[in-house]
């Protein structure tokens, strides 16, 4: 006959578990480590200073007073700059490796001998030989910060590039700085003024000992469809029907290689080149007379996206300070559910058989 104790059969509660845990802890504090492991290695964690699996006890308090001296730093592992035996994957050179979008305030010169401090996003990369595991990314930032207090020009960017190329023992290097450049613009008829902001990027590329200085700018304008304009006028003339042509906000990304021996091409100069080619730039400050003037300006300069690319090309070809260039235009249609786009290049710098799949998507102007 079996006799069952009711206390044994009952489901243990929280108090029972706490009593059992206390008993285990008292026993574990006095039991040898070998005996603990034969029962269950996890029991070692019940004893302060004796973690499971024999791992040493670690401090959880941040060591505020600790100083990393040279002797200590010499003992620290450096896998990124380790030997070729640590390379994973194909042992091949990498054309660009570095950092993107580290930001800092940079002071830029303006055409009128002034300067502007603008928040700037910096991308810095170098080439990596097949036998090297990696680079020390922070050296790019340190090299750039060493020049960041100077008023920036392409010469200063070149000095920063030379610094980190030397530090990282690389043959090729690239720096790109992106920022929004403000320029005061006057309205068409009312005389009001406001700031227009232009997305610029300065790019310095050194490859096989050859240095190229490249300037990129997004120019935002209105494009009135010539076909729609003629059809609207036809409806008015033939049937007395009021109709309006469609126009839309459009963006052209202008990229130019600067002639190294020519005088400076200022930001303001490139803006004015674009305005001369396509004068229907979007407006900042607008009263009724300005809105009417803008409608008249669009009617005087209707353009397809093909026209825009060729008009920008014509203006860039006339500028002696510019060598190779590229025009990427996107007319973000109000008639269609898709955009009309074009790409026109001059010279080998921007010639390419393939395009970035998301190139045109980046031409959206976010305001």
């Amino acid at each position: 006959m079996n006799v069952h104790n009711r206390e044994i059969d009952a489901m243990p509660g929280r108090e029972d578990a706490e009593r059992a845990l206390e008993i285990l802890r008292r026993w574990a504090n006095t039991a040898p480590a070998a005996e603990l492991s034969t029962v269950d290695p996890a029991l070692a964690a019940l004893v302060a200073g004796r973690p499971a699996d024999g791992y040493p006890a670690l401090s959880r308090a941040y060591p505020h007073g600790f100083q990393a001296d040279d002797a200590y730093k010499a003992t620290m592992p450096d896998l990124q700059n380790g030997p070729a035996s640590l390379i994973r994957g194909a042992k091949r050179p990498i054309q660009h490796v570095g950092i993107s979008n580290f930001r800092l305030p940079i002071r830029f010169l303006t055409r009128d001998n002034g300067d502007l401090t603008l928040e700037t996003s910096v991308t810095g990369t170098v080439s990596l030989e097949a036998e090297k595991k990696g680079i020390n990314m922070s050296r790019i930032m340190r090299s750039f910060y060493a020049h960041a207090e100077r008023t920036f020009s392409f010469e200063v960017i070149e000095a920063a590039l030379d610094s980190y190329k030397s530090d990282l023992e690389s043959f090729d290097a690239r720096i790109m700085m992106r920022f929004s450049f403000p320029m005061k613009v006057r309205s068409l008829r009312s005389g009001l003024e406001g700031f227009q902001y232009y997305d610029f990027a300065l790019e310095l590329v050194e490859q096989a000992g050859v240095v190229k200085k490249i300037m990129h700018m997004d120019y935002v304008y209105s494009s009135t469809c010539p076909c729609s304009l003629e059809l609207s006028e036809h409806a008015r003339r033939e049937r007395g029907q009021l109709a309006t042509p469609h126009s839309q906000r459009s963006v052209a990304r202008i990229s130019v290689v600067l002639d190294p021996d020519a005088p400076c091409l200022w930001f303001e100069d490139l803006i004015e080149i674009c305005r001369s080619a396509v004068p229907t730039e979007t407006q900042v400050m607008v009263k009724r007379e300005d809105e009417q003037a803008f409608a008249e300006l669009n009617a005087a300069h209707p353009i397809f996206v093909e026209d825009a690319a060729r008009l920008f090309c014509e203006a860039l070809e006339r500028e002696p300070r510019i060598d190779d260039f590229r025009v990427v235009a996107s007319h973000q249609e109000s008639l269609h559910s898709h955009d009309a786009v074009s790409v026109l290049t001059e010279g080998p710098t921007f010639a390419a058989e393939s395009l970035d799949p998301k190139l045109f998507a980046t031409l959206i102007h976010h305001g």
Side-chain angles (χ1 to χ4, degrees):
M1 179 176 178
N2 295 325
V3 178
H4 294 278
N5 188 318
R6 284 192 177 186
E7 292 184 3
I8 294 176
D9 291 338
M11 179 65 69
R14 180 186 177 88
E15 291 185 2
D16 298 316
E18 288 177 349
R19 284 197 299 271
L21 185 58
E22 180 58 32
I23 292 170
L24 277 172
R25 280 179 174 154
R26 287 203 304 268
W27 173 75
N29 279 329
T30 58
E35 190 174 354
L36 281 175
S37 61
T38 59
V39 178
D40 187 338
L43 289 175
L46 299 174
V47 186
R50 197 191 289 179
D53 300 327
Y55 199 78
L58 301 176
S59 171
R60 292 180 177 270
Y62 180 76
H64 290 279
F66 176 73
Q67 296 290 329
D69 57 21
D70 291 339
Y72 178 81
K73 286 186 281 188
T75 68
M76 297 175 71
D78 188 3
L79 296 181
Q80 191 67 12
N81 294 296
S85 60
L86 295 177
I87 292 175
R88 301 184 63 187
K91 199 172 286 189
R92 297 282 298 276
I94 299 176
Q95 285 73 32
H96 300 282
V97 59
I99 57 177
S100 174
N101 196 33
F102 82 87
R103 295 180 296 169
L104 69 169
I106 295 291
R107 193 165 65 250
F108 294 94
L109 290 171
T110 60
R111 188 173 60 181
D112 60 0
N113 294 319
D115 59 56
L116 287 171
T117 299
L118 304 173
E119 180 184 299
T120 303
S121 168
V122 179
T123 295
T125 63
V126 294
S127 60
L128 183 66
E129 297 172 54
E131 296 75 23
K132 290 185 177 180
K133 168 69 174 172
I135 68 167
N136 188 324
M137 300 281 184
S138 67
R139 287 187 184 178
I140 295 177
M141 291 183 64
R142 294 200 302 269
S143 297
F144 204 86
Y145 266 98
H147 300 272
E149 296 302 318
R150 301 168 63 184
T151 302
F152 261 67
S153 62
F154 268 112
E155 288 68 32
V156 179
I157 302 174
E158 192 167 0
L161 181 142
D162 287 341
S163 295
Y164 75 69
K165 191 180 70 164
S166 175
D167 285 347
L168 297 167
E169 299 178 341
S170 296
F171 295 109
D172 302 331
R174 178 188 306 259
I175 286 179
M176 179 180 285
M177 301 167 58
R178 295 184 295 110
F179 52 91
S180 188
F181 181 79
M183 186 172 176
K184 192 167 282 189
V185 177
R186 192 176 183 85
S187 61
L188 293 173
R189 286 184 180 150
S190 66
L192 296 175
E193 288 187 327
F195 280 103
Q196 189 83 276
Y197 283 82
Y198 301 88
D199 289 340
F200 269 91
L202 302 181
E203 187 177 16
L204 189 71
V205 181
E206 183 171 345
Q207 191 170 23
V210 177
V211 176
K212 284 189 177 181
K213 301 172 183 178
I214 303 172
M215 185 184 295
H216 308 268
M217 188 195 83
D218 283 5
Y219 179 70
V220 184
Y221 58 100
S222 173
S223 58
T224 294
C225 173
C227 182
S228 180
L229 178 61
E230 292 300 323
L231 291 172
S232 298
E233 289 306 302
H234 179 274
R236 296 185 193 204
R237 183 177 62 250
E238 299 296 326
R239 296 185 289 117
Q241 176 62 48
L242 179 65
T244 59
H246 78 86
S247 59
Q248 50 274 320
R249 182 181 289 171
S250 306
V251 180
R253 180 161 299 152
I254 310 297
S255 301
V256 299
V257 177
L258 304 181
D259 183 336
D261 301 318
C264 176
L265 180 77
W266 298 96
F267 306 136
E268 298 93 331
D269 294 336
L270 188 55
I271 293 168
E272 289 173 359
I273 289 171
C274 290
R275 283 187 193 150
S276 71
V278 177
T280 52
E281 181 179 19
T282 55
Q283 301 294 294
V284 181
M285 301 292 286
V286 175
K287 297 180 74 173
R288 284 180 298 170
E289 58 266 39
D290 300 311
E291 187 167 356
Q292 186 180 66
F294 193 62
E296 295 171 9
L297 186 65
N298 273 269
H301 299 277
I303 49 172
F304 294 119
V305 73
E306 301 93 331
D307 300 323
R310 288 170 173 150
L311 286 165
F312 287 120
C313 172
E314 183 179 50
L316 295 169
E317 284 180 326
R318 289 196 300 261
E319 176 51 62
R321 292 171 289 181
I322 292 174
D323 288 337
D324 294 355
F325 61 81
R326 178 182 60 201
V327 177
V328 182
S330 174
H331 289 189
Q332 289 143 31
E333 294 273 319
S334 62
L335 169 64
H336 300 290
S337 298
H338 55 264
D339 301 335
V341 298
S342 65
V343 178
L344 187 156
T345 66
E346 170 62 32
T349 302
F350 302 107
E353 294 182 4
S354 175
L355 290 176
D356 179 345
K358 295 188 177 180
L359 170 64
F360 298 111
T362 67
L363 268 68
I364 301 298
H365 180 69
H366 297 289

